[in-house]
Amino acid sequence: MAGVNRPLRVLVVDDDALVRAGLSMMLDGIHGIAVVGEAADGDEVLAAADAHAPDVVLMDLRMPRVDGITATRRLRSRRNPPEVIMLTTFDTDENIVYALRAGASGFLLKDTPPAQIVEAVRKVAAGDPILSPRITRRLMDRTATQAGAYQRARAALATLSPRENEVVLAVAHGRANAEIAAELFMSVATVKAHVSNVLGKLGLDNRTQIALLAHDAGLT
């Protein structure tokens, strides 16, 4: 983190030279911020961090040799690492979650207004994570959707008998009818009957849907 007598040190990582130049010019013109280095790919990040000791790294997500998520994970696993803001044009749910799990403190889209990028640099350097409003909404929607699926799956499984739930779990683990019969000490015909009952009670069409329901309920 920057001290009181020196500017925030920023490293810009992007495989597009024009993007690097644009970010560097924009940030270098801001009081209290200095772009101390650039890197063109994720495989250059560790060496650049060693050479320039940045407080914040602006990291591109998609790069040809080592992607930003991998580079972030490597960087954040070191002692006293800089904060990382992921900058990308790709805002899929998976990218957001993977970036945050890798240790990124921020996730912004490349069309984020310059003033918001500057604000993000200052906030993450101060220890405050930052997400663009659009990404925050996507994560909220994702969480709500997952929570709803979990609740519906749990409610559906609650309508089954304890034995039927055992069969559901075995099906979710990929067991064949003969394996389920041996595991649960019942005949294959009884297993088939339980599977049919589960499908009928829950309005499902096949064993794959049983497995997906068990996954949504957090059983696998």
Side-chain angles (χ1 to χ4, degrees):
M1 182 174 295
V4 294
N5 296 319
R6 71 170 177 85
L8 291 172
R9 299 168 63 84
V10 177
L11 173 67
V12 177
V13 183
D14 199 295
D15 64 319
D16 189 325
L18 290 177
V19 172
R20 291 199 309 274
L23 288 170
S24 295
M25 289 178 61
M26 182 264 292
L27 290 170
D28 250 347
I30 302 299
H31 177 72
I33 295 178
V35 175
V36 294
E38 297 181 4
D41 202 280
D43 61 358
E44 302 174 9
V45 168
L46 296 185
D50 288 340
H52 303 294
D55 302 301
V56 177
V57 177
L58 288 180
M59 183 86 74
D60 187 20
L61 176 68
R62 299 282 182 89
M63 291 179 283
R65 296 190 297 274
V66 174
D67 64 75
I69 291 173
T70 300
T72 297
R73 187 179 298 110
R74 292 174 180 173
L75 190 60
R76 294 293 298 170
S77 67
R78 308 175 96 193
R79 185 177 181 181
N80 299 321
E83 302 297 334
V84 176
I85 298 174
M86 199 73 70
L87 278 175
T88 182
T89 54
F90 305 93
D91 64 339
T92 65
D93 295 346
E94 291 77 13
N95 286 335
I96 299 166
V97 173
Y98 290 155
L100 297 178
R101 285 179 176 172
S105 299
F107 197 108
L108 299 176
L109 300 178
K110 286 186 177 179
D111 61 2
T112 299
Q116 292 182 21
I117 295 177
V118 172
E119 180 186 18
V121 168
R122 288 176 171 155
K123 283 190 172 182
V124 299
D128 297 325
I130 185 85
L131 295 174
S132 71
R134 194 193 318 175
I135 290 173
T136 300
R137 171 53 58 187
R138 287 179 69 94
L139 286 178
M140 291 173 65
D141 291 344
R142 174 189 174 96
T143 300
T145 299
Q146 290 177 332
Y150 173 83
Q151 292 168 352
R152 289 190 296 272
R154 283 287 183 174
L157 294 177
T159 66
L160 304 179
S161 70
R163 202 59 163 165
E164 288 168 342
N165 271 289
E166 290 178 337
V167 171
V168 165
L169 186 57
V171 169
H173 286 154
R175 307 281 197 274
N177 286 342
E179 293 174 313
I180 298 173
E183 188 176 295
L184 299 181
F185 304 103
M186 62 177 70
S187 69
V188 172
T190 301
V191 172
K192 290 180 179 179
H194 279 311
V195 171
S196 294
N197 288 340
V198 168
L199 293 173
K201 286 183 178 180
L202 302 183
L204 303 177
D205 296 323
N206 52 53
R207 297 167 75 97
T208 298
Q209 291 181 352
I210 293 177
L212 289 174
L213 185 71
H215 174 76
D216 286 344
L219 301 183
T220 60

